[in-house]
Amino acid sequence: MSAYVRRAWMVVWKDILAERRSKESLNALLFFSLLLLFVFQFALGPERARVEAALPGLLWLGFILSGLLAFGRTFLIERENDCWEGLVLTPGDKSAIYLGKLAGNVLVMIVVEVVLVALFAVFFAIDFTPFLPGLAAVLALGTLGLASVGTLFGAVTAQMRARELLFPVLLLPAVVPVLLASVSATQTVLAGEPLADAAAWLKLLAAADLVYLVVGVLTFEFVLEG
Amino acid sequence: MAARALGWLAVLALVAGLGAAFGYAPREAVQGNVQRIMYLHVPAVLTAYLAFALVFVGSVGYLLTRRAGWDRLALAAAEPGVLFTGITIASGSIWGKPTWGTWWTWDARLTSTAVLFLVYVGYLLLRGMVDEPDRRARAAAVVGILGAANMPIVHFSVKWWRALHQPSTILGPEPSPIAAPIAATLLVNWIAFTLLFAYLLAERLEIARLEDPDAG
């Protein structure tokens, strides 16, 4: 078991190091988040009530759009640098690589989400502080769901032509339940209601996360063969 | 040939189904003749579910055995599955316009059926993007398995979504005991659609087998 965790951790560490040295993804992602904010502002206009009503949807729209960019790159890096073979030849259970890549994607998404929430707080003058614990719980469950499908489909499409097109086309319908449940739960949280009021949605999120994770772990070996 | 016989059987059953839908089934009291679309709509969606269940079986079968036959089964089921889902959505829309006054509404059933449609259109798109058979089969199988595993979640999430936000005003409680002639007509049409699907599946399997240079 510890060897398994270690293998997964090594994938995470390798990607963190590569990102730290190249600073390719994160900078662009954060800039992209800032641009999204302008798009939202243009779409909704200055009326504050509209922004507040749309806020849960806008937040998740921002997360999934950033996620589409981030997840799509996960395995592209391996392909572009000819490291795919290395991953395939790694001894032991291949699903550790999936979990490592997934953990990396969750990390990236957490950074993006924190920044995006902060940007919303500043530019739309919204005080998130009373909702932070509830919001964090919903974000954690929703992000895990998005990232587990995103990581798997990112690997599936990495070796294909027209992957930039195919990846979102596959991912978006597959994560409809996660988006739906996350937006609804976020709505409950931001309305100042207790988290227990969103229990049905959180259960759905947890169930979806579990299903996606199990499918990902069981099928990843076949994806990695390339 | 077996597929040929199946085809003629499907034609017979479809003619019988048409006859029953227009000649035998009574004119529905509230909705009038529009209700007869149900004899197309319901069998189509039931057949689509059957098709996607077969995609799942074929996908799991392929990953476990790596036999091309399982992948051909998944492909041969997915194409008519998308077709029948399309028929379901189109016929539902045609029924919805005079009955609900709109082609489309974001009702739970509609939304989940639309998501089902999108998932498997994506599945077919993916299949078109890879030329190498084993790679294509593996990638498709992963998407097919996740798609099928996702379906119950989609179904319940959109159901709750509506249930939590606005009461279902359009789909009121139906009169529960369906009249016997209507039920019988539905059954005939359902059998006809299943036969049609079986015919399409058999022919598509045969085409896929002929396309595969390695198949015996």
Side-chain angles (χ1 to χ4, degrees):
Chain A
M1 191 64 209
S2 71
Y4 185 86
V5 174
R6 213 180 115 72
R7 263 203 300 280
W9 170 247
M10 271 161 66
V11 174
V12 182
W13 184 241
K14 168 189 83 66
D15 283 349
I16 290 176
L17 264 187
E19 175 60 33
R20 205 170 71 100
R21 285 176 189 161
S22 67
K23 297 185 187 61
E24 260 181 358
S25 306
L26 214 52
N27 285 346
L29 268 177
L30 296 180
F31 185 58
F32 180 74
S33 309
L34 183 66
L35 290 176
L36 279 180
L37 227 65
F38 282 82
V39 176
F40 293 159
Q41 164 65 24
F42 297 150
L44 288 172
E47 225 176 298
R48 196 181 156 77
R50 272 163 93 174
V51 174
E52 274 176 4
L55 187 60
L58 288 185
L59 277 173
W60 283 97
L61 194 57
F63 300 157
I64 187 66
L65 287 176
S66 314
L68 281 178
L69 297 187
F71 305 151
R73 282 191 56 77
T74 321
F75 286 91
L76 235 45
I77 306 167
E78 310 293 348
R79 211 189 65 117
E80 281 165 2
N81 297 328
D82 287 329
C83 300
W84 195 282
E85 294 271 295
L87 286 183
V88 177
L89 293 174
T90 312
D93 196 337
K94 301 290 185 292
S95 61
I97 297 171
Y98 168 73
L99 290 179
K101 285 287 188 185
L102 171 62
N105 275 335
V106 169
L107 268 178
V108 169
M109 285 309 287
I110 288 173
V111 175
V112 170
E113 284 164 3
V114 167
V115 169
L116 204 59
V117 167
L119 287 174
F120 266 99
V122 172
F123 283 98
F124 292 115
I126 295 157
D127 183 13
F128 284 104
T129 38
F131 316 122
L132 278 183
L135 197 58
V138 178
L139 284 187
L141 282 176
T143 305
L144 184 60
L146 294 184
S148 44
V149 186
T151 308
L152 184 67
F153 282 5
V156 169
T157 53
Q159 308 267 39
M160 285 177 193
R161 44 192 163 94
R163 74 185 97 76
E164 314 76 3
L165 203 63
L166 198 56
F167 177 65
V169 163
L170 288 178
L171 181 62
L172 284 178
V175 295
V176 160
V178 173
L179 286 177
L180 215 52
S182 300
V183 171
S184 300
T186 307
Q187 218 156 32
T188 308
V189 168
L190 292 184
E193 287 157 27
L195 204 54
D197 285 10
W201 291 119
L202 297 178
K203 273 186 218 158
L204 174 77
L205 271 178
D209 289 358
L210 191 70
V211 169
Y212 297 155
L213 268 176
V214 168
V215 173
V217 165
L218 290 180
T219 60
F220 185 72
E221 191 191 329
F222 303 101
V223 178
L224 195 63
E225 279 175 42
Chain B
M1 244 184 80
R4 241 181 124 81
L6 206 55
W8 284 112
L9 216 58
V11 168
L12 275 179
L14 282 168
V15 170
L18 261 177
F22 286 102
Y24 170 63
R27 196 170 175 279
E28 211 262 343
V30 186
Q31 296 172 14
N33 280 326
V34 175
Q35 178 269 340
R36 293 184 203 270
I37 292 178
M38 185 178 91
Y39 303 124
L40 171 70
H41 184 69
V42 176
V45 75
L46 290 176
T47 315
Y49 286 148
L50 172 68
F52 296 139
L54 282 181
V55 175
F56 181 73
V57 171
S59 301
V60 173
Y62 182 79
L63 289 189
L64 290 179
T65 66
R66 299 288 184 110
R67 294 234 174 114
W70 287 110
D71 179 54
R72 291 199 292 267
L73 173 68
L75 166 69
E79 283 180 356
V82 167
L83 173 72
F84 284 118
T85 317
I87 291 175
T88 305
I89 294 173
S91 61
S93 256
I94 294 167
W95 177 85
K97 185 60 183 167
T99 315
W100 295 345
T102 172
W103 295 109
W104 184 263
T105 170
W106 293 98
D107 161 78
R109 279 259 175 89
L110 265 62
T111 312
S112 61
T113 311
V115 173
L116 185 76
F117 184 71
L118 295 175
V119 165
Y120 287 95
V121 169
Y123 173 88
L124 290 181
L125 276 175
L126 170 104
R127 297 200 65 111
M129 294 289 175
V130 195
D131 300 321
E132 206 255 302
D134 176 57
R135 259 185 63 201
R136 176 176 56 219
R138 274 185 287 116
V142 171
V143 175
I145 290 171
L146 194 104
N150 205 18
M151 277 316 136
I153 305 177
V154 173
H155 181 76
F156 285 110
S157 63
V158 284
K159 215 168 151 181
W160 291 350
W161 174 40
R162 272 312 175 197
L164 286 180
H165 284 266
Q166 75 181 45
S168 179
T169 47
I170 300 157
L171 285 176
E174 291 164 61
S176 41
I178 298 177
I182 293 182
T185 307
L186 261 181
L187 184 67
V188 172
N189 276 291
W190 183 37
I191 294 170
F193 266 69
T194 311
L195 283 171
L196 176 64
F197 170 66
Y199 169 68
L200 291 174
L201 187 76
E203 289 288 9
R204 188 67 185 88
L205 272 174
E206 180 61 16
I207 294 170
R209 202 180 62 78
L210 291 173
E211 278 172 348
D212 185 354
D214 301 327

